[in-house]
Amino acid sequence: VSLLAFPSREEEIVLRHSSLKPRRLTVEDLYSEIVVPQFQRYSQLEKEVLMVFVLENFHLILNAELRHRFSRLEFVKTEDSVLKSPQEVFNPTERYADQLFAGKHVFPIGTFAVDKNHGQLLCKHIGLRKLDDLSAEELLQIANDTATSGNRVRAKTLLDVIVKHKWTERLQRDIAF
C-alpha cells in the first residue's frame, strides 16, 4: 500500500492554474463585459431577477454609457407578455398615455409595473418613454388609428396632447406637407 496520494482532477486543475493572476472586475466591468453582452441568452426569469438587482444597486453604476445600455435591454414585460426595453414602454401614469395607447401593449406589467417598488426604481433610474418622446410618425399612426376607430374621446385626447406638447410646430418641421 502506497502512502502517496495523487491529486483529484479538480485539485490538479487548481494546482496547474495557481500561478494565474485573475483580473479583479469592478461592478461596471462585470456588467459591461459579461452581463450586458450575454443578456439575450438569459431566461425571462433570469432577466427579471438580474434587473431587480441592477436597479436596487444602480447607484454603483457611474458610467453614463453603461446606464444607457441598460435602457436598451429588453426586460420589461408588457400586457402581451412580450419583453421590451424601457425605451419602448410608456409610463401609464403620465397624463393622456392610458387613453392614447389603450390596447397597444406599451405599458409595463408584473415586477416592473409602475405602481410596484421595482417599477418605481425603473422610472427613477432608467426611465420610461414619455409623450414628449413620440415621433411625428407615431403621432400620425395614433391619428390614423383614432380616425379608423371613430373614438371621440381618444380624438380629443390626441388634440390635447398635440397642443400641450407643442406638437404643431414639431409636426410642421418633421412632416413635409
Side-chain angles (χ1 to χ4, degrees), residues 100 146 150-160:
L100 285 182
T146 302
N151 184 332
R152 290 178 179 257
V153 173
R154 189 173 183 198
K156 178 171 179 352
T157 301
L158 179 58
L159 290 175
D160 289 345

Side-chain angles (χ1 to χ4, degrees), residues 67-81:
R67 286 175 170 243
H68 182 69
R69 288 175 71 188
F70 278 114
S71 73
R72 295 184 309 235
L73 296 177
E74 295 175 345
F75 64 91
V76 181
K77 189 189 296 186
T78 57
E79 298 99 332
D80 56 352
S81 296

Side-chain angles (χ1 to χ4, degrees), residues 84-99:
K84 297 181 181 175
S85 73
Q87 292 180 339
E88 299 173 286
V89 181
F90 283 87
N91 186 338
T93 63
E94 187 171 6
R95 188 169 182 208
Y96 305 120
D98 60 336
Q99 294 171 356

Side-chain angles (χ1 to χ4, degrees), residues 15 40 45 48 60 95 108 139 142 149 155 169:
L15 289 172
Q40 293 307 318
L45 179 61
E48 185 176 305
L60 299 173
R95 188 169 182 208
L139 265 181
I142 293 168
S149 72
E169 297 89 18

